[in-house]
């Protein structure tokens, strides 16, 4: 039996996103297999660019499926509590002390990280520093290029109203 530290925490939304991607890849698989079969029927495989491309595409799809299935196999869905402490799945609004910039992020599992969507991992320097803190705390973040401070303005289960 796997130890609990062998599992990767993930939000329910992140888990469902991976399930959706697996379903989409599985739906696309027959098309890739048909493309490979059609390219194979064109004759000499050593100089058949269509065959090489179709084979590469199918290999990529199969590899991605294996990766995503492993992600789900080792995932542990975490449901954040209602208390005001920063934890996986919570939304935080921060003020960076050095330039007064305001940012909102959701702390997520490593498989879900997407900075463009405002999702940071709990193991990133910022995520690590925020874990366990509450609103109005000033937190020092130790990043590879130096340390900086943020003020934790809000902590919640939902993104703040804009």
């Amino acid at each position: 039996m796997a130890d609990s530290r062998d599992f990767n925490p993930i939000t329910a939304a992140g888990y469902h996103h991976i399930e959706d991607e697996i379903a989409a890849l599985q739906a696309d698989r027959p098309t890739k297999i048909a493309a490979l079969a059609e390219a194979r029927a064109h004759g000499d495989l050593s100089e058949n660019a269509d065959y090489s491309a179709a084979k590469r595409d199918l290999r990529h799809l199969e590899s991605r499926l294996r990766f995503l299935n492993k992600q789900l196999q080792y995932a542990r869905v975490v449901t954040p509590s209602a208390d005001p402490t920063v934890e996986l799945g919570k939304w935080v609004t921060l003020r960076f002390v050095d330039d007064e910039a305001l940012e909102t992020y959701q702390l997520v599992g490593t498989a879900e990280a997407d900075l463009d969507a405002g999702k940071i991992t709990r193991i990133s320097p910022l995520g690590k520093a925020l874990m366990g803190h509450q609103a109005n705390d000033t937190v020092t973040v130790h990043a590879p290029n130096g340390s900086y401070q943020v003020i934790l303005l809000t902590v919640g289960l939902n993104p703040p109203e804009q």
Side-chain angles (χ1 to χ4, degrees), residues 6-142:
D6 293 336
F7 288 91
N8 294 321
I10 189 170
T11 64
Y15 191 91
H16 295 305
H17 179 75
I18 292 172
E19 286 180 322
D20 291 346
E21 187 175 349
I22 288 172
L25 290 171
Q26 287 173 333
D28 193 31
R29 192 169 180 268
T31 305
K32 300 279 186 198
I33 291 171
L36 180 63
E38 183 179 330
R40 174 179 273 153
H42 291 296
D44 184 10
L45 301 182
S46 64
E47 295 182 16
N48 187 335
D50 290 340
Y51 174 76
S52 296
K55 191 173 168 184
R56 183 184 56 248
D57 288 350
L58 182 59
R59 248 191 341 257
H60 176 71
L61 181 140
E62 297 287 350
S63 175
R64 184 73 179 155
L65 274 173
R66 278 191 304 278
F67 173 78
L68 292 172
N69 281 313
K70 286 288 185 193
Q71 291 288 314
L72 290 187
Q73 181 181 351
Y74 290 100
R76 181 176 43 99
V77 175
V78 174
T79 303
S81 65
D83 75 25
T85 304
V86 176
E87 59 185 315
L88 191 77
K90 297 270 183 91
W91 289 86
V92 297
T93 301
L94 315 167
R95 176 179 294 124
F96 289 81
V97 173
D98 59 352
D99 64 1
E100 296 294 315
L102 293 176
E103 294 288 340
T104 298
Y105 298 109
Q106 182 184 28
L107 272 82
V108 296
T110 54
E112 308 170 75
D114 182 354
L115 193 55
D116 292 335
K119 296 180 178 194
I120 61 171
T121 70
R122 63 185 177 78
I123 62 170
S124 67
L126 180 57
K128 256 192 265 192
L130 292 173
M131 294 297 278
H133 284 277
Q134 296 184 352
N136 299 317
D137 286 354
T138 298
V139 179
T140 300
V141 180
H142 301 286

